[in-house]
Amino acid sequence: MAAAATMAAAARELMLRAGTSDMEEEEGPLGGGPGLQEPLQLGELDISSDEFILDEVDVHIQANLEDELVKEALKTGVDLRHYSKQVELELQQIEQKSIRDYIQESENIASLHNQITACDAVLERMEQMLGAFQSDLSSISSEIRTLQEQSGAMNIRLRNRQAVRGKLGELVDGLIVPSALITAILEAPVTEPRFLEQLQELDAKAAAVREQEARGTAACADVRGILDRLRVKAVTKIREFILQKIYSFRKPMTNYQIPQTALLKYRFFYQFLLGNERATAKEIRDEYVETLSKIYLSYYRSYLGRLMKVQYEEVAEKDDLMGVEDTAKKGFFSKPSLRSRNTIFTLGTRGSVISPTELEAPILVPHTAQRGEQRYPFEALFRSQHYALLDNSCREYLFICEFFVVSGSAAHDLFHAVMGRTLGMTLKHLESYLTDCYDAIAVFLCIHIVLRFRNIAAKRDVPALDRYWEQVLALLWPRFELILEMNVQSVRSTDPQRLGGLDTRPHYITRRYAEFSSALVSINQTIPNERTMQLLGQLQVEVENFVLRVAAEFSSRKEQLVFLINNYDMMLGVLMERAADDSKEVESFQQLLNARTQEFIEELLSPPFGGLVAFVKEAEALIERGQAERLRGEEARVTQLIRGFGSSWKSSVESLSQDVMRSFTNFRNGTSIIQGALTQLIQLYHRFHRVLSQPQLRALPARAELINIHHLMVELKKHKPNF
């Protein structure tokens, strides 16, 4: 039916358009036909209504034309007017049929109307009920807000009451004295763990009561009496216990470190006394200081006295100086001299005392050494004494800081109250010993022992000994410098003519210097000191001057050079054993040795080959000045030199080698000098060959007698000594 209605509407529109176009064609001049061009006067006609919206009409027409039935009708050429009438007739029939159907269903429609009316009544009642429910909900929400406000207020009151309860609980817990605390303080021994635990609880309660009393809490008066009685009882028991431990230090042959370690376990006892009974704490501290001060002083005085008994009986005296001659005689009442004065200038194995293994080795036990008849140099005794002092001082300082709860200057003062008398006694003993000490190596080793012990104390974080180390160094350095200056002065004032018979071997004074200087240089290399190097520089200058003064006593220059070379070589060899190769002393003596060796080689070659040397130097000078023609007058001289060298060079070289080996005590040095002399001889003969190759001497018949330079080198190698 919908499709039919659509087709009918489309047919009517087509008919209207067709009719309109026919009317436009039939109209004449008066009917508004094509010849009439007057515009259409619409007047007040409203064209905005739906009936005049042509666009919409076109849309409907286009939609109807797309309908399948319309398309089929247009294709088959159906008459639209007829078709339209047929459609209208069908619509009327359908309309009448629908009316009859409506009349037949009128009862049902009426029943439906009644049902809808009843539903409306039910919905109205539900609306009324929902309105009442909404009003009830609004009243309930206001009640809920009221309950929330009441709940918030109750929560605030609850939190306030809980906070008050917590504060009151803490206050009450702090004031209540439990029976376990009373029992432990009154009955338990101080060494039991529960006494220490309850003592800490008592200390906390006493502090809490003092705090509350300061705030004006009246309840503190109820427990003050009980706490005071418990405090007095605890102080009494602690005082007796600690004093008993301190008195146990005084027993003979007691290792006081054991009760000291035991006291550290109960260091809270002293903290309790500090907080509750300062007079008793001061009494205990004073008793400890007095007891340990006497123990340390007695121990070290006894140990030092017994330690000095195992020192070497032969020690350096004021006459045992570097420049003192061995032939010097002493008075009738003078002490016998050392069996060998050189031993006080030699380091030997004494330097091991500052090695890491020996430095912190166990201390010497005097009675054991006496039974074994062992003797030690002073630096070994000094090391043992000060290592014991260092070890005990470090332990004592750490104990004082931990047990007496002190630090900084307070710990420093308390430490010196305990160890001050012992340190003072040690300084006085050292000062007394140094007054008659002339062993520079021993004093210098002691200085380096102190420097190393000071570093060890710093690593252990014990600054209390810093002042003592400075005082010890203030005693050692001036004495060392004085002894060194005395040796410098002794060398400076030595008269070579009073030394008795002289020979070209190394002098004992230079040997003393070499041993002494190498010892100090090797020690000083570990911890360099500029002042030491300056003093050694002064001593070196004086020794060099002394060697020159002694050398001047020899009549021949050759003997002088042999003496100088032997002494320089000996000093250089000793220094190189201990000192670094780039040290100032080694470089200085190396330069002196090289210069004197070169001079000696020239002096050695002069007797057998002096004429050859002189001619070569003169000829080279003439050639250099361009006066080579003057060589023509030297043919006889050259001939004599050629033949003389050829006939005597072997015997001269042999004699030269024997002379060198007899003159020098160091065979290695002698070998080096022989090699240098032979090398210089080869160079000399090679220069002689070059001079003879000049045009002025090239035709000389004696040139045929020249020895081939390579043959000469081969022959000279046979005279090279091997050691």
Side-chain angles (χ1 to χ4, degrees):
M1 294 177 65
T6 303
M7 293 180 64
R12 284 197 296 270
E13 289 182 9
L14 292 173
M15 290 175 64
L16 287 173
R17 289 191 176 188
T20 303
S21 62
D22 292 340
M23 290 177 65
E24 289 176 353
E25 292 177 356
E26 294 175 357
E27 286 181 357
L30 297 176
L36 186 60
Q37 301 297 326
E38 293 182 1
L40 180 62
Q41 301 294 330
L42 299 177
E44 299 298 329
L45 180 64
D46 184 8
I47 64 175
S48 62
S49 63
D50 293 339
E51 297 177 358
F52 294 95
I53 300 175
L54 298 180
D55 293 337
E56 295 183 2
V57 174
D58 292 338
V59 172
H60 289 301
I61 292 174
Q62 183 66 31
N64 292 328
L65 288 175
E66 292 178 356
D67 189 86
E68 296 296 331
L69 295 175
V70 175
K71 288 181 180 180
E72 184 179 358
L74 292 175
K75 288 181 181 180
T76 56
V78 177
D79 186 359
L80 295 178
R81 290 185 181 88
H82 176 71
Y83 187 74
S84 174
K85 289 179 181 181
Q86 183 180 356
V87 170
E88 288 179 357
L89 181 60
E90 292 177 357
L91 288 174
Q92 290 176 0
Q93 292 175 357
I94 293 170
E95 182 179 1
Q96 290 176 1
K97 185 178 180 181
S98 65
I99 291 172
R100 287 194 298 271
D101 292 339
Y102 182 77
I103 292 172
Q104 291 177 358
E105 298 294 333
S106 59
E107 293 180 0
N108 295 332
I109 293 173
S111 175
L112 178 62
H113 175 72
N114 293 333
Q115 291 178 3
I116 292 172
T117 303
C119 287
D120 288 341
V122 172
L123 291 174
E124 183 178 1
R125 288 195 301 273
M126 290 182 67
E127 182 180 3
Q128 292 175 357
M129 290 174 62
L130 290 174
F133 183 68
Q134 183 178 7
S135 63
D136 292 342
L137 286 178
S138 62
S139 63
I140 290 174
S141 65
S142 64
E143 291 178 1
I144 290 174
R145 284 195 296 271
T146 302
L147 290 175
Q148 287 179 343
E149 293 175 357
Q150 293 177 358
S151 176
M154 292 176 66
N155 285 332
I156 292 173
R157 290 195 297 272
L158 177 62
R159 286 196 297 269
N160 292 337
R161 290 177 180 178
Q162 287 177 344
V164 171
R165 180 181 178 182
K167 295 293 184 181
L168 289 175
E170 292 177 1
L171 177 61
V172 172
D173 290 342
L175 295 179
I176 290 177
V177 182
S179 58
L181 188 151
I182 298 174
T183 303
I185 297 298
L186 295 179
E187 300 176 1
V190 295
T191 56
E192 289 190 3
R194 66 189 184 105
F195 178 84
L196 180 60
E197 294 175 1
Q198 297 303 325
L199 183 67
Q200 293 173 343
E201 181 69 18
L202 176 62
D203 185 61
K205 288 188 178 296
V209 168
R210 286 194 296 268
E211 181 180 357
Q212 294 300 328
E213 283 181 341
R215 296 178 180 179
T217 303
C220 296
D222 297 337
V223 296
R224 166 54 67 186
I226 298 175
L227 291 177
D228 286 342
R229 289 191 293 274
L230 290 175
R231 178 182 59 81
V232 171
K233 182 62 176 179
V235 168
T236 302
K237 295 175 70 173
I238 291 172
R239 176 181 176 277
E240 293 176 357
F241 173 75
I242 296 179
L243 288 179
Q244 182 181 1
K245 289 291 184 183
I246 294 175
Y247 293 152
S248 66
F249 296 167
R250 303 176 180 178
K251 296 179 181 179
M253 306 300 293
T254 299
N255 185 356
Y256 61 89
Q257 295 176 2
I258 296 176
Q260 259 189 346
T261 305
L263 278 177
L264 285 178
K265 297 179 181 179
Y266 306 102
R267 54 183 174 273
F268 181 74
F269 289 174
Y270 187 80
Q271 297 177 18
F272 179 81
L273 295 178
L274 279 178
N276 296 275
E277 191 64 37
R278 286 190 170 272
T280 304
K282 184 178 183 303
E283 177 190 1
I284 289 176
R285 187 182 65 181
D286 293 344
E287 191 66 31
Y288 177 84
V289 169
E290 181 67 20
T291 300
L292 266 294
S293 176
K294 292 180 179 179
I295 290 175
Y296 279 124
L297 180 62
S298 174
Y299 170 77
Y300 275 99
R301 181 183 287 121
S302 174
Y303 180 71
L304 194 56
R306 288 184 284 113
L307 197 63
M308 296 306 294
K309 293 180 180 180
V310 296
Q311 184 184 8
Y312 282 130
E313 296 179 357
E314 296 181 348
V315 295
E317 300 176 355
K318 63 179 179 179
D319 294 328
D320 294 320
L321 300 174
M322 189 177 297
V324 175
E325 58 272 16
D326 283 340
T327 57
K329 295 181 179 180
K330 294 192 174 183
F332 179 77
F333 297 101
S334 61
K335 295 180 181 179
S337 179
L338 292 175
R339 286 192 296 269
S340 176
R341 231 186 226 105
N342 292 331
T343 57
I344 66 173
F345 301 104
T346 304
L347 182 62
T349 60
R350 298 170 67 183
S352 62
V353 73
I354 59 174
S355 64
T357 54
E358 291 290 334
L359 192 66
E360 298 186 57
I363 63 174
L364 299 177
V365 182
H367 62 271
T368 303
Q370 286 178 338
R371 284 201 303 267
E373 296 183 354
Q374 295 177 337
R375 292 292 183 267
Y376 300 93
F378 175 72
E379 64 271 11
L381 308 181
F382 182 88
R383 191 232 35 115
S384 180
Q385 170 200 351
H386 280 80
Y387 184 66
L389 187 65
L390 169 70
D391 201 37
N392 285 280
S393 296
C394 290
R395 184 181 292 105
E396 185 63 32
Y397 180 81
L398 297 176
F399 173 83
I400 286 173
C401 293
E402 190 171 357
F403 185 80
F404 291 103
V405 198
V406 290
S407 61
S409 59
H412 187 84
D413 295 340
L414 187 56
F415 171 81
H416 280 278
V418 175
M419 299 294 296
R421 297 169 64 185
T422 302
L423 298 178
M425 181 272 298
T426 306
L427 286 173
K428 289 182 179 179
H429 175 269
L430 179 62
E431 183 178 9
S432 174
Y433 179 84
L434 291 177
T435 303
D436 295 326
C437 178
Y438 296 91
D439 189 349
I441 293 179
V443 176
F444 198 53
L445 285 172
C446 291
I447 290 173
H448 279 262
I449 289 171
V450 171
L451 295 177
R452 285 160 174 78
F453 281 165
R454 184 170 63 181
N455 293 336
I456 293 174
K459 290 179 181 178
R460 296 182 182 181
D461 196 19
V462 179
L465 286 173
D466 291 349
R467 182 183 175 187
Y468 174 76
W469 300 131
E470 293 175 359
Q471 292 173 332
V472 173
L473 291 175
L475 294 175
L476 293 173
W477 274 116
R479 189 62 188 180
F480 172 71
E481 294 176 0
L482 175 63
I483 299 173
L484 214 55
E485 290 173 356
M486 292 173 63
N487 281 282
V488 171
Q489 182 61 35
S490 68
V491 175
R492 183 185 298 123
S493 59
T494 300
D495 185 3
Q497 295 181 355
R498 298 179 55 190
L499 298 178
L502 298 176
D503 55 32
T504 57
R505 291 175 298 178
H507 200 274
Y508 59 83
I509 291 181
T510 58
R511 182 172 295 279
R512 292 175 186 172
Y513 163 76
E515 295 287 350
F516 182 72
S517 179
S518 65
L520 297 188
V521 168
S522 63
I523 297 171
N524 193 64
Q525 285 175 348
T526 57
I527 303 179
N529 180 267
E530 188 62 29
R531 176 59 179 163
T532 303
M533 300 310 297
Q534 292 176 358
L535 293 172
L536 285 176
Q538 297 177 9
L539 182 60
Q540 179 183 345
V541 171
E542 295 301 329
V543 170
E544 291 176 1
N545 294 335
F546 166 76
V547 172
L548 294 176
R549 292 199 305 270
V550 176
E553 297 295 320
F554 293 95
S555 57
S556 67
R557 181 58 181 168
K558 182 179 177 181
E559 290 181 336
Q560 294 177 359
L561 292 173
V562 170
F563 176 79
L564 292 175
I565 292 173
N566 277 329
N567 282 274
Y568 292 153
D569 178 67
M570 181 273 298
M571 289 187 285
L572 182 63
V574 174
L575 284 171
M576 291 182 66
E577 289 179 0
R578 296 185 180 275
D581 293 342
D582 58 348
S583 64
K584 294 180 180 179
E585 293 80 7
V586 171
E587 292 179 357
S588 175
F589 284 113
Q590 187 67 60
Q591 293 174 0
L592 292 173
L593 178 61
N594 293 339
R596 295 296 176 263
T597 300
Q598 183 60 34
E599 184 180 354
F600 176 76
I601 290 174
E602 294 177 358
E603 189 72 23
L604 189 66
L605 294 176
S606 179
F609 306 107
L612 184 62
V613 172
F615 171 75
V616 170
K617 290 182 178 179
E618 293 174 5
E620 288 177 344
L622 291 174
I623 295 171
E624 185 179 356
R625 293 197 301 268
Q627 300 176 1
E629 288 297 328
R630 296 177 58 181
L631 293 175
R632 295 186 184 275
E634 300 291 340
E635 294 179 354
R637 181 182 178 188
V638 170
T639 301
Q640 182 181 0
L641 289 174
I642 292 174
R643 293 172 179 172
F645 183 85
S647 61
S648 63
W649 72 270
K650 288 186 178 181
S651 59
S652 298
V653 169
E654 185 67 27
S655 175
L656 179 148
S657 299
Q658 294 177 359
D659 188 16
V660 169
M661 299 312 295
R662 285 194 304 267
S663 300
F664 297 101
T665 56
N666 186 351
F667 289 148
R668 188 179 298 277
N669 184 41
T671 301
S672 175
I673 292 175
I674 292 175
Q675 289 179 350
L678 296 180
T679 301
Q680 192 162 333
L681 178 60
I682 292 173
Q683 292 174 353
L684 175 65
Y685 202 66
H686 182 64
R687 290 161 59 191
F688 184 60
H689 270 256
R690 285 190 299 177
V691 171
L692 294 183
S693 65
Q694 295 295 319
Q696 293 79 6
L697 299 175
R698 192 176 299 168
L700 187 68
R703 287 187 75 248
E705 301 177 21
L706 282 173
I707 300 174
N708 183 274
I709 192 69
H710 298 290
H711 176 70
L712 180 63
M713 292 174 62
V714 171
E715 291 295 327
L716 289 179
K717 284 184 179 179
K718 297 178 181 179
H719 294 273
K720 176 183 176 182
N722 293 316
F723 297 100

